[in-house]
Amino acid sequence: MKNLRGFASDNNSGVHPDILNAMNRVNIGHTIGYGDDIYTNSALDKMKEIFGEDSDIYFVFTGTAANVLGLDTITQSYNSIICAETSHIHEDECGAPEKFTGCKLLALFTEDGKLTPEIVSKELYGFDFEHHSQPKVISITQSTEMGTVYTPQEIRDLSVIAHKYGMLLHMDGARIANAAAYLGLSFEKFSQDVGVDVLSFGGTKNGMIYGEALVFFDKKHSVNFKYIRKQGMQLASKMRFISAQFEEYLNNDLWLRNAQHSNKMAKLLASKLKDVPEIQITQKVESNGVFAIIPKEIIPILQDAYFFYVWDEKTSEVRWMCSFDTSEEDVINFTDLIKKILK
Ligand SMILES: Cc1ncc(COP(=O)(O)O)c(C=O)c1O
């Protein structure tokens, strides 16, 4: 591949230099392993400033682990988990949620990646009937895999319906920072305050090297989590290097600056293409992703210059993701190239 910069994924970008510096700063001497260290205590305190003393917070390595272990903790294998068809837990976790939880995933069609009470209500039946998997969790992604963002009210509507049926609401927040930047709200305002029970809080896609947090808003849901994390092979021995990243990420609004920037680059990309008749932007651009239907024949030429993924081969829909390090120059060069090829 000639040009290593591209719009394939926010996983493809590097690490913010402040994060690497923070890891370097804690790379001194010996400290107790497995999270019993001053850096981890300090990072957890920082997170508790956001989510409150009653929250229970744990670091893990990956977003998939946060989702899978979080869901495993709040379910039994006879349960089902309602999610969007486009959700990462359904599409991109290689069946790990099913393998580890034993639950049935009920993946539902949405226009824009967002579940609604109306959509989930199709699966709200069979309670107390031993022949039916018992619905236990509604899982939503914020921001969604389609680049859209739930409003706090939309999340509240889902938590109300979940709780009415004795279920819980899980949020996959792999890109929660992008949602917060878009909404102009702090994290708790559209999670804890509107009835989310368990949150996978991401960092990797927004400038960290690895490390995600799992936030339980009620300790009764996390009583066994420390065992589940260890059995799930996600207890980092050198935990201080995850903790140092979180501390830096949350300090000085690094998370916000990175997310505001990647969101802005996605908006710029979409705005540069909005008047190109051959291109149809298919989703609202509310976070750091742009979805568009483009002429099939130009895809390989563009991919050769700036790699990206085709989202839907049938419709020729592509996904362009922006990162904390996407530059205006990247966007302008890319959109100019598109216009040049289409001339
Ligand atoms: C919405 C969403 N959730 C979870 C994940 C999982 O993250 P990881 O690749 O760190 O397991 C991803 C990764 O792309 C994602 O896009």
Side-chain angles (χ1 to χ4, degrees):
M1 208 172 299
K2 288 184 214 112
N3 191 339
L4 287 176
R5 299 186 70 79
F7 298 91
S9 171
D10 37 14
N11 286 319
N12 290 21
S13 53
V15 179
H16 194 282
D18 292 356
I19 295 285
L20 284 178
N21 288 339
M23 292 175 90
N24 209 18
R25 277 199 303 277
V26 302
N27 191 24
I28 36 160
H30 286 205
T31 189
I32 306 285
Y34 300 103
D36 197 6
D37 63 83
I38 49 167
Y39 310 109
T40 303
N41 288 337
S42 170
L44 290 174
D45 283 348
K46 190 89 213 155
M47 292 212 59
K48 284 188 177 201
E49 278 173 28
I50 303 169
F51 294 116
E53 274 305 312
D54 290 339
S55 56
D56 205 11
I57 303 171
Y58 298 84
F59 296 133
V60 295
F61 284 105
T62 72
T64 300
N67 287 340
V68 170
L69 299 184
L71 291 168
D72 192 36
T73 308
I74 56 174
T75 53
Q76 299 287 338
S77 58
Y78 51 78
N79 286 134
S80 57
I81 297 165
I82 299 174
C83 56
E85 240 173 38
T86 47
S87 64
H88 200 269
I89 60 170
H90 173 61
E91 263 304 305
D92 286 305
E93 295 185 1
C94 191
E98 291 94 328
K99 175 183 158 117
F100 283 89
T101 67
C103 293
K104 189 179 171 88
L105 253 54
L106 302 169
L108 300 174
F109 173 79
T110 68
E111 294 287 346
D112 56 3
K114 294 203 272 184
L115 291 173
T116 63
E118 199 191 353
I119 296 172
V120 303
S121 64
K122 290 181 203 121
E123 294 293 351
L124 298 177
Y125 67 95
F127 290 95
D128 226 10
F129 181 54
E130 71 201 69
H131 302 283
H132 192 72
S133 306
Q134 296 294 293
K136 184 66 202 246
V137 179
I138 297 174
S139 178
I140 60 174
T141 308
Q142 175 79 324
S143 52
T144 73
E145 290 79 357
M146 306 304 296
T148 52
V149 172
Y150 286 90
T151 64
Q153 187 58 48
E154 287 169 334
I155 297 167
R156 188 186 289 283
D157 291 344
L158 285 163
S159 75
V160 167
I161 195 158
H163 297 155
K164 179 172 156 204
Y165 284 88
M167 299 168 67
L168 298 173
L169 184 63
H170 164 254
M171 177 181 278
D172 173 349
R175 296 190 182 82
I176 192 170
N178 298 91
Y182 172 74
L183 293 169
L185 293 173
S186 51
F187 301 117
E188 76 282 8
K189 293 276 184 282
F190 59 94
S191 56
Q192 187 174 25
D193 292 0
V194 289
V196 171
D197 298 288
V198 181
L199 166 67
S200 305
F201 183 101
T204 314
K205 286 160 184 58
N206 193 33
M208 280 176 42
I209 188 165
Y210 57 80
E212 315 271 308
L214 202 51
V215 186
F216 296 90
F217 294 120
D218 185 330
K219 287 186 178 134
K220 79 168 180 273
H221 296 313
S222 58
V223 268
N224 293 318
F225 186 74
K226 62 180 176 182
Y227 310 114
I228 290 172
R229 178 173 64 174
K230 181 67 186 183
Q231 276 202 329
M233 296 159 278
Q234 290 290 316
L235 177 60
S237 55
K238 298 200 175 179
M239 184 77 85
R240 67 173 133 156
F241 296 100
I242 298 183
S243 310
Q245 292 181 69
F246 267 103
E247 176 113 42
E248 184 67 28
Y249 185 69
L250 296 171
N251 266 337
N252 307 318
D253 287 343
L254 177 62
W255 68 270
L256 182 59
R257 283 182 277 127
N258 283 356
Q260 279 174 336
H261 178 79
S262 54
N263 286 4
K264 188 172 152 204
M265 291 303 101
K267 272 253 182 280
L268 179 67
L269 209 170
S271 75
K272 293 268 170 212
L273 296 175
K274 73 175 187 323
D275 296 326
V276 178
E278 294 89 344
I279 301 218
Q280 184 199 340
I281 309 280
T282 53
Q283 295 290 336
K284 287 185 190 155
V285 180
E286 294 177 335
S287 59
N288 60 328
V290 178
F291 287 75
I293 293 177
I294 70 172
K296 225 182 200 69
E297 58 283 5
I298 73 168
I299 292 176
I301 311 169
L302 288 176
Q303 280 176 325
D304 202 35
Y306 286 88
F307 187 66
F308 58 86
Y309 291 108
V310 176
W311 185 256
D312 186 340
E313 293 281 353
K314 291 191 292 299
T315 58
S316 188
E317 187 179 23
V318 298
R319 182 188 83 156
W320 295 314
M321 295 301 288
C322 295
S323 290
F324 76 91
D325 70 341
T326 300
S327 67
E328 279 192 26
E329 196 189 353
D330 291 328
V331 173
I332 289 162
N333 287 347
F334 184 60
T335 52
D336 282 353
L337 178 65
I338 294 176
K339 289 176 193 168
K340 193 168 133 209
I341 298 170
L342 287 173
K343 243 193 214 154

